Amino acid sequence: MAVWFVTGASRGLGAEIARAALASGHSVVAAARDPRTVRAAFPDAGERLLSVALDVTDEAQVQAAVEAGVEAFGRIDVLVNNAGRGLLGAVEEASDAEVRAVYDTNVFGVLTVTRAVLPVLRAQRSGHVVNVSSVGGFVGSAGWGVYASTKFAVEGFSETMALELAPLGIGVTLVEPGYFRTDFLDSSSLHRVTTAVEDYAEGPAGAMRMTAEQVNHGQPGDPVKAGLAIVSAIDSGRAPLRLQLGSDCVASVEAKLVAVQTELDAWREVAVSTDHDDVATPAR
């Protein structure tokens, strides 16, 4: 059985991943800002669960959590970078401090945890890194620009890591969930810009603020099924680079692929009609 290291494991998708891993017979290092919430979530887990305090923006705490996991179980086989922070608002509305706070968790936090765990996986010449991205890491959406940019960043370095780590026996998977019934839209995870620009109120960014309130805890995706799907994919030994979860995610990805194909077709028409020395731009 494997040892899973899961960040943001006290609730939401992180808790369901940890629960599914435990149900499959694995051991879990469940990391959360308050480890007491982890024990409360898994009261019957026994010795196969180690709860550790972890703020992914605190490098010393990250290193201590990883060392505690290795000391308890002797190894780490699967790293799940799940802890995240949201920001809702038009791109222009987001202050520098608000943007940096999201990047500190969603990008630099993921990198910090990954740097701490990879030496363990490299020494073993085996393991898997699971980075929880979002449908917003593949398709931009009004009101989610800054958040989406952090997930686009995760997608970029995860694709590269997949190439770099494959020769060392380490896999990489990006999980791209759509809307799931978790606490992500609560104030505990989702932050809203403090300064709103009136011009955006009646547009798509303003509409998204209303939508986020209306769909909270009524999202179509089942987080229990998502957790099971993620663990099953890793256990299969054939996990893809991208694991897209939820019918809304799949629909959004398919729509973007169609749009990209349309742009490529337009570009080919322009390129064929120009000399090689000319600079051509796709028709739009």
Side-chain angles (χ1 to χ4, degrees):
M1 292 292 101
V3 178
W4 287 57
F5 188 106
V6 184
T7 70
S10 64
R11 58 193 174 91
L13 184 57
E16 296 306 333
I17 294 170
R19 184 169 287 109
L22 289 167
S24 295
H26 302 304
S27 297
V28 175
V29 182
R33 286 177 178 267
D34 184 353
R36 294 172 300 181
T37 60
V38 173
R39 278 296 173 188
F42 305 100
D44 302 319
E47 294 183 355
R48 287 193 295 116
L49 176 73
L50 174 68
S51 58
V52 294
L54 181 62
D55 176 350
V56 299
T57 67
D58 185 332
E59 187 170 359
Q61 195 173 63
V62 168
Q63 194 63 47
V66 172
E67 290 173 359
V70 173
E71 182 177 355
F73 298 118
R75 61 189 295 120
I76 294 173
D77 298 291
V78 182
L79 165 63
V80 181
N81 281 306
N82 167 73
R85 177 187 181 105
L87 181 66
L88 181 58
V91 172
E92 182 188 354
E93 294 175 321
S95 69
D96 184 75
E98 289 168 332
V99 173
R100 289 177 185 274
V102 180
Y103 269 81
D104 280 345
T105 296
N106 295 5
V107 179
F108 296 112
V110 170
L111 289 169
T112 298
V113 176
T114 301
R115 280 194 299 266
V117 173
L118 277 182
V120 179
L121 304 189
R122 286 191 289 102
Q124 298 167 178
R125 284 300 192 265
S126 67
H128 210 102
V129 178
V130 179
N131 287 335
V132 177
S133 177
S134 165
V135 62
F138 197 89
V139 181
S141 180
W144 296 105
V146 171
Y147 172 76
S149 73
T150 67
K151 295 304 186 179
F152 268 72
V154 171
E155 298 258 339
F157 65 68
S158 296
E159 280 195 10
T160 302
M161 284 171 53
L163 300 173
E164 296 169 345
L165 294 175
L168 304 178
I170 302 167
V172 177
T173 292
L174 281 156
V175 177
E176 297 174 341
Y179 276 116
F180 276 78
R181 292 185 297 277
T182 67
D183 296 332
F184 179 71
L185 296 180
D186 291 350
S187 59
S188 57
S189 297
L190 178 63
H191 299 258
R192 295 168 181 263
V193 293
T194 55
T195 302
V197 176
E198 185 61 31
D199 283 345
Y200 294 113
E202 301 301 323
M208 182 57 71
R209 279 192 275 265
M210 298 296 295
T211 299
E213 293 179 358
Q214 293 167 356
V215 304
N216 192 18
H217 296 296
Q219 299 97 317
D222 182 346
V224 175
K225 292 181 179 179
L228 291 169
I230 293 166
V231 173
S232 176
I234 302 303
D235 282 351
S236 74
R238 301 185 302 275
L241 174 60
R242 284 185 169 82
L243 185 60
Q244 292 155 346
L245 299 178
S247 57
D248 56 333
C249 173
V250 173
S252 294
V253 169
E254 289 176 342
K256 180 165 182 176
L257 292 176
V258 169
V260 170
Q261 185 61 56
T262 300
E263 290 194 353
L264 286 173
D265 292 341
W267 165 250
R268 290 191 184 99
E269 290 179 8
V270 173
V272 167
S273 64
T274 60
D275 294 331
H276 292 297
D277 293 335
D278 290 343
V279 176
T281 56
R284 297 191 182 275

